[in-house]
Amino acid sequence: AKNGKLPDGAIRLAVEIDGSEDDETIAKVKDLDPMMITVCIDENLSQLHASRRIFEILKANDVMTPAIHHYKTTSSESNELALELGTKIGSLLTDGNGDGILIEQVGETNFSVDFLRNTGFSLLQGCRMRNTKTEFVSCPSCGRTLFDLQETTAQIQEATGHLPGVTVAVMGCIVNGPGEMADADFGYVGTLPGKVDLYYGKEVVRKSIPNAEAVDALVELIKSYGMWKDKEEAEEVEEAAVAA
């Protein structure tokens, strides 16, 4: 393009905005009339605030061009990437700011097919659109927490993370636990130092289980309510979900 004008017969496929532009420059996107806009925020700016500013300007100038969030990451772990996208892009999409996400890995490892698949399913599950594995709910931890929340949650995920359609809540204390896990199928709640209560829905079904035995007891509880699958069986269900 010369002076912003394209040769006859050419179309402008995309315009990239990084948030460092002034309001007038962003508003000129309407005159350029691209097929789409990519929003790739400058690393020195806040992803959330800069993106919101861009979309406010686009809306104020009636720019209806589809906008794609171009997100760069060094992550090589699908759940970590899904969390990144949920916190940095998810709220923008929820508010109607954007039409999709373009993910670019800038680390040394290239995305594999399994990585992309797992990340996609993690995002769909986070949006409550499709369940392909166990859903976990956890409190943020505070001074009342009666066990190591991160370590215990990791143990529970390892033991029960292959159960699509099952929700497990891990709560560090009895004060807020029952309220925060109201929608979970099963609850794992610290009640006394070194002791855990297990819930089915909102009902306590086992009390004062020693921490060392509580994860195994949770597995047995899930089995007793007919919601357990062995990992091999769960993998077959997941493969069927992928094929669908």
Side-chain angles (χ1 to χ4, degrees):
K2 186 176 182 180
N3 298 322
K5 295 183 179 180
L6 296 174
D8 291 342
I11 62 171
R12 181 172 278 106
L13 180 61
V15 171
E16 181 175 284
I17 303 175
D18 68 8
S20 65
E21 305 87 352
D22 58 34
D23 292 16
E24 184 179 352
T25 299
I26 296 174
K28 286 181 179 178
V29 169
K30 186 172 184 178
D31 298 328
L32 296 175
D33 191 29
M35 296 290 291
M36 68 176 177
I37 299 167
T38 59
V39 179
C40 186
I41 300 302
D42 187 292
E43 62 181 12
N44 296 313
L45 299 175
S46 162
Q47 179 88 30
L48 186 62
H49 293 91
S51 296
R52 288 195 185 283
R53 171 178 167 268
I54 290 169
F55 283 101
E56 285 173 3
I57 296 169
L58 294 177
K59 290 176 180 178
N61 289 274
D62 296 320
V63 178
M64 306 302 292
T65 306
I68 306 298
H69 294 278
H70 182 179
Y71 185 75
K72 297 180 180 180
T73 181
T74 58
S75 176
S76 59
E77 207 283 314
S78 62
N79 286 330
E80 179 181 318
L81 177 55
L83 183 60
E84 282 183 27
L85 293 171
T87 55
K88 295 183 179 180
I89 306 295
S91 60
L92 294 166
L93 294 175
T94 299
D95 291 340
N97 295 323
D99 300 279
I101 307 173
L102 168 64
I103 306 171
E104 178 184 355
Q105 189 177 48
V106 295
E108 297 180 357
T109 305
N110 294 323
F111 289 140
S112 67
V113 174
D114 282 343
F115 180 92
L116 294 172
R117 184 188 71 172
N118 291 335
T119 301
F121 279 130
S122 293
L123 289 170
L124 289 171
Q125 181 141 341
C127 296
R128 302 294 192 272
M129 295 178 68
R130 188 171 188 177
N131 276 7
T132 54
K133 56 186 176 182
T134 312
E135 182 81 8
F136 292 98
V137 179
S138 177
C139 66
S141 184
C142 69
R144 292 190 295 264
T145 302
L146 293 169
F147 50 78
D148 187 316
L149 193 64
Q150 289 183 317
E151 180 181 343
T152 301
T153 301
Q155 292 173 355
I156 293 172
Q157 287 178 324
E158 176 63 27
T160 67
H162 59 285
L163 304 172
V166 175
T167 302
V168 177
V170 185
M171 299 292 157
C173 75
I174 193 64
V175 178
N176 296 320
E180 293 180 9
M181 67 177 193
D183 296 329
D185 299 305
F186 300 94
Y188 182 109
V189 182
T191 50
L192 296 169
K195 303 287 185 180
V196 169
D197 284 1
L198 297 180
Y199 284 67
Y200 175 65
K202 299 179 182 179
E203 179 185 358
V204 183
V205 290
R206 291 199 58 185
K207 291 186 175 182
S208 298
I209 305 169
N211 282 353
E213 303 171 11
V215 174
D216 289 338
L218 174 62
V219 170
E220 292 305 316
L221 182 64
I222 296 172
K223 289 180 178 180
S224 70
Y225 283 93
M227 300 179 73
W228 178 264
K229 290 183 176 66
D230 291 331
K231 288 190 177 182
E232 294 78 8
E233 183 181 355
E235 288 172 359
E236 291 177 3
V237 172
E238 183 177 344
E239 289 299 327
V242 173

